[in-house]
Amino acid sequence: MKQNYLSEVIYQVFALIICVIVVHTVYVAVILPNADFILQQQEAMQATDSSYVAERSMYVILKDMEQETCIILLFWALAIIGMKTRRVLQERALLDRELLQVSEGTSILPEDARQYARPVQALPDEVRGFLLPRAVLAGLHRFGSTRSIQDVSTTIKDICTGESDRLESELSIIRYIAWAIPSIGFIGTVRGIGAALSQAHQAVTGDIMAVTVSLGVAFNSTFVALVTSMLLMFLLHQLLLLQDRLVLDTQTYCDDHMLRYLQVPDKDTLA
C-alpha cells in the first residue's frame, strides 16, 4: 500500500509537469499569436468604423493566464481521474473471475479455509493488493480462526467500508482542483475589472478598445473557469459512481462466491 501511494504521488507530480509544458507550449505557439493578431485586426477595424462589432474568437477567450491555469489544472485532474479509473476497471475485472473455484454443492469448512486461500495468495503482488483479494483472504483467515460465519461477514464489511473511506479521501486533490478553478476565474474577473477601471479615462475620450479588452479578461476568465469546473465535476461524479459500485459489487461477490458456501460443523455450532 505504501509503495502504491508513493507511485501515485510520483505520477501526479509528473502529470502536472507534463500538463504545464504541453499547455504552455500550445499557448505560446498557437493561442497567443492568433489572439494578438485578431485583437490587432479588431482594433484597426474599430478605428476605421465606429459601428464595427467584434466577433468573439476562441483564441481571444483563452488567451489570458487565468484561462491557461484553469486548463492546466483541468488536464492535471483528468490525468488523475484517468489513473484512478484505470485502477477501478482493473479491480472490476477480478469480479468476473472465480478466485475460490468452489463448485456448486460444495461446502467450505473452517479446516478448508487455508486451502482455498492458496490460489488467492498466489496472485501477483499488485493484484493481491486489490479490494476483492484482500476481502476474500481476510474472510477466509477469519473463518479459519474463529469458525464463525458472522465474523467473516463483519470482516468483509469492515474492509469494504475502509476501502470506501480510503477511495473517498484520495479524491481530495481532485476536489481541491475543482474548487481552485472557479477561484482562479474569479481572480481573473477582479483583475480585468480593475484594469478596466484604471483605463476609464480613455473611454471618456472615445477610445474604448482598452476598456473592452480588460472587461474581456474579466468575463472570459469566468466563462472558461465555469465551463472547465462543470466538466471536471461531471467526471468526478462518474469516478465516484464507479468506486461505489466496485465496493458494493465486491461485497455482493463475497456473499455469492464465498459466504454462502461456508459451513460450520454441528458440534462447533452447539459448542
Side-chain angles (χ1 to χ4, degrees):
M1 298 296 291
K2 186 179 295 186
Q3 184 177 0
N4 289 336
Y5 173 76
L6 181 60
S7 63
E8 286 189 9
V9 171
I10 295 174
Y11 172 86
Q12 292 177 11
V13 171
F14 276 97
L16 176 59
I17 295 173
I18 292 173
C19 289
V20 171
I21 294 173
V22 172
V23 173
H24 188 67
T25 301
V26 172
Y27 261 75
V28 172
V30 179
I31 295 178
L32 293 180
N34 282 280
D36 291 339
F37 176 74
I38 292 172
L39 288 175
Q40 289 173 4
Q41 277 190 328
Q42 292 177 354
E43 187 175 359
M45 294 294 294
Q46 187 72 38
T48 57
D49 185 4
S50 58
S51 62
Y52 171 75
V53 178
E55 296 183 0
R56 291 175 63 85
S57 169
M58 187 58 64
Y59 295 114
V60 176
I61 292 174
L62 296 175
K63 72 180 180 64
D64 298 296
M65 61 181 180
E66 289 84 6
Q67 292 89 306
E68 180 182 359
T69 304
C70 290
I71 293 174
I72 289 173
L73 291 178
L74 173 64
F75 281 107
W76 185 33
L78 292 180
I80 299 174
I81 290 175
M83 180 261 296
K84 293 187 177 297
T85 301
R86 177 175 172 270
R87 170 74 180 237
V88 172
L89 294 178
Q90 287 177 336
E91 296 207 28
R92 286 199 63 86
L94 285 179
L95 297 174
D96 298 327
R97 295 171 54 180
E98 284 286 348
L99 294 183
L100 296 180
Q101 300 177 354
V102 184
S103 58
E104 195 66 35
T106 303
S107 298
I108 301 177
L109 301 177
E111 298 80 21
D112 303 328
R114 184 173 298 178
Q115 173 187 347
Y116 282 99
R118 288 195 185 103
V120 184
Q121 291 172 333
L123 293 172
D125 292 340
E126 181 183 359
V127 177
R128 199 165 61 245
F130 290 170
L131 174 59
L132 180 58
R134 287 192 288 114
V136 170
L137 284 176
L140 290 174
H141 291 159
R142 189 71 173 176
F143 186 55
S145 60
T146 65
R147 310 175 76 86
S148 170
I149 299 176
Q150 181 61 42
D151 287 348
V152 175
S153 178
T154 302
T155 299
I156 293 173
K157 184 178 180 180
D158 290 343
I159 289 178
C160 290
T161 301
E163 180 71 8
S164 180
D165 294 340
R166 184 185 69 83
L167 293 173
E168 181 80 14
S169 65
E170 288 183 353
L171 296 178
S172 59
I173 182 64
I174 302 177
R175 288 195 174 90
Y176 173 77
I177 296 172
W179 168 86
I181 288 176
S183 300
I184 293 171
F186 181 70
I187 291 173
T189 302
V190 173
R191 184 174 73 88
I193 292 176
L197 291 176
S198 67
Q199 297 164 344
H201 63 281
Q202 298 181 16
V204 175
T205 62
D207 182 11
I208 64 171
M209 190 64 191
V211 175
T212 302
V213 172
S214 297
L215 289 177
V217 173
F219 297 121
N220 291 337
S221 62
T222 302
F223 173 75
V224 173
L226 292 177
V227 171
T228 53
S229 179
M230 289 172 60
L231 175 60
L232 178 56
M233 289 304 297
F234 172 76
L235 296 175
L236 176 59
H237 283 295
Q238 294 301 313
L239 176 59
L240 280 169
L241 182 61
L242 279 176
Q243 292 179 342
D244 290 342
R245 285 180 175 175
L246 171 65
V247 173
L248 293 174
D249 290 346
T250 298
Q251 287 185 276
T252 302
Y253 182 98
C254 292
D255 290 341
D256 295 340
H257 293 79
M258 184 175 67
L259 279 175
R260 74 187 186 96
Y261 293 108
L262 301 181
Q263 184 174 351
V264 180
D266 292 339
K267 60 180 181 179
D268 290 347
T269 304
L270 293 175

